[in-house]
């Protein structure tokens, strides 16, 4: 499953035998994956800007899951903003969770995980 959040914490991982591969992704890939992802965005204004559901639900990641993290850079979003203010931009990251006993992380493996979902 693919999740969208604006935060990351190791407490999101279920189990202790997991590895996480972190990659910066571009906005184009984010937009391609977002329609099928489960949004757990906890900021109403960010959810509106991204065109995803506002859903302040905690995330629990299992091996095979991916998390798309949206990072706000250059400042803060005003409380009721429906677009990014000047000089504020978004960066996108993909955290892919693997079971350390059964997976070897490679670029091809990550692309396969992202494209299968």
């Amino acid at each position: 499953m693919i999740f969208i959040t604006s935060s990351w914490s190791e407490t999101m991982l279920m189990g202790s035998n997991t590895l996480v591969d972190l990659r910066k992704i571009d906005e184009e890939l984010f937009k391609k994956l977002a329609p099928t992802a489960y949004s757990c965005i906890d900021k109403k204004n960010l959810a509106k800007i991204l065109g995803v559901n506002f859903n302040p639900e905690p995330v629990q990641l299992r091996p095979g899951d991916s998390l798309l993290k949206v990072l706000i850079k250059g400042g803060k979003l005003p409380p009721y903003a429906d677009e990014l203010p000047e000089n504020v931009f978004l960066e996108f990251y993909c955290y892919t969770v693997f079971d350390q006993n059964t997976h070897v992380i490679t670029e091809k493996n990550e692309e396969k995980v992202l494209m299968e979902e």
Side-chain angles (χ1 to χ4, degrees), residues 49-88:
I49 290 167
L50 294 171
V52 299
N53 292 327
F54 166 70
N55 181 19
E57 182 179 319
V59 176
Q60 292 293 292
L61 299 169
R62 294 174 174 81
D65 289 343
S66 293
L67 181 138
L68 303 177
K69 178 183 172 191
V70 181
L71 183 62
I72 302 167
K73 302 280 285 203
K76 294 186 176 186
L77 293 178
Y80 300 101
D82 57 358
E83 60 183 43
L84 291 174
E86 190 174 325
N87 299 322
V88 175

Side-chain angles (χ1 to χ4, degrees), residues 27-67:
E27 186 174 1
E28 183 179 330
L29 181 55
F30 173 83
K31 286 181 177 181
K32 182 178 178 181
L33 297 171
T36 60
Y38 186 78
S39 176
C40 293
I41 293 288
D42 61 355
K43 296 173 180 68
K44 286 184 182 182
N45 52 351
L46 180 59
K48 187 174 184 179
I49 290 167
L50 294 171
V52 299
N53 292 327
F54 166 70
N55 181 19
E57 182 179 319
V59 176
Q60 292 293 292
L61 299 169
R62 294 174 174 81
D65 289 343
S66 293
L67 181 138

